Amino acid sequence: MELTGYVIIALKIIVGISILNVWLLQKNKATIWRGGTAKTIFEEFEAYGLSRQFCYIIGFSKVSLALILLASIQFTALTLIGSLGLSLLLFGSILVHIKIKDVWYKSFPAFLFMVMNLIIAYTTL
């Protein structure tokens, strides 16, 4: 395997594990990245003007796509589904940060992971 292949595997692991961490382990913990003044992921969605049900839908989607991205290490046919799906959701995250006029750094993780996913997708084409 070439160096690029190893870099893409590393990106898949970084993105996949990070998304799972945010949505499964850190969902009830305050971080500097949360939108508005939210302390939990549910409060963050409230700050965006979004419902708890929508939070569950997005959470399920992000966790599922993160698992698909991790599975794509072994099953490369899944790569575009995981990387482009997460890119779309992360772009939505950036838009809602902009909508509520968050300081720029709160959008940075979503932007960084979106770029990583777009790199993953690009190398798959």
Side-chain angles (χ1 to χ4, degrees), residues 68-92:
I68 288 170
L69 189 65
L70 290 170
S72 76
I73 295 168
Q74 181 65 36
F75 305 102
T76 56
L78 298 174
T79 301
L80 284 177
I81 296 167
S83 62
L84 291 178
L86 282 171
S87 293
L88 181 66
L89 292 175
L90 291 162
F91 181 68

Side-chain angles (χ1 to χ4, degrees), residues 25-66:
L25 301 178
Q26 303 293 323
K27 67 180 189 232
N28 292 318
K29 294 183 181 174
T31 73
I32 63 168
W33 312 110
R34 297 241 181 258
T37 59
K39 303 270 188 271
T40 69
I41 208 147
F42 296 118
E43 290 176 10
E44 187 171 16
F45 271 69
E46 287 175 19
Y48 299 144
L50 303 170
S51 70
R52 186 173 281 248
Q53 291 80 11
F54 193 69
C55 181
Y56 285 119
I57 291 167
I58 295 299
F60 177 80
S61 299
K62 283 190 175 181
V63 167
S64 298
L65 289 166

Side-chain angles (χ1 to χ4, degrees), residues 4-44:
T4 305
Y6 290 111
V7 169
I8 295 305
I9 289 171
L11 289 176
K12 289 178 179 183
I13 292 169
I14 291 166
V15 171
I17 297 296
S18 296
I19 297 289
L20 293 175
N21 178 50
V22 167
W23 282 90
L24 300 176
L25 301 178
Q26 303 293 323
K27 67 180 189 232
N28 292 318
K29 294 183 181 174
T31 73
I32 63 168
W33 312 110
R34 297 241 181 258
T37 59
K39 303 270 188 271
T40 69
I41 208 147
F42 296 118
E43 290 176 10
E44 187 171 16

